[in-house]
Amino acid sequence: MTEAIATETTTHTSNKKTALTDAFREHFSGDAPITEKAKSFAKARPWTSAAFVGVAAVAVLNSLRGVRG
């Protein structure tokens, strides 16, 4: 007895781009102010936004550490 197995196909072709790249393109394209774009990206991907803020904070702290000398 053979059974047909239904397979799902997605219509989204990402052209070998990652989901993060697609999210950047979706949220940062258009004519909205950059603050609105950043807010919509942060709502859609909170963990990624937190990682970016953390990396930026480390970069600022490292640059300030060199100024004190």
Side-chain angles (χ1 to χ4, degrees), residues 16-66:
K16 295 186 179 181
K17 301 289 182 184
T18 62
L20 183 59
T21 305
D22 292 340
F24 274 130
R25 185 171 291 125
E26 176 185 342
H27 292 287
F28 287 99
S29 64
D31 293 333
I34 191 72
T35 56
E36 292 300 320
K37 293 177 184 180
K39 284 180 188 177
S40 69
F41 182 78
K43 286 181 183 178
R45 296 188 166 270
W47 288 103
T48 306
S49 302
F52 286 149
V53 169
V55 168
V58 168
V60 168
L61 289 174
N62 281 336
S63 65
L64 293 177
R65 185 174 59 167

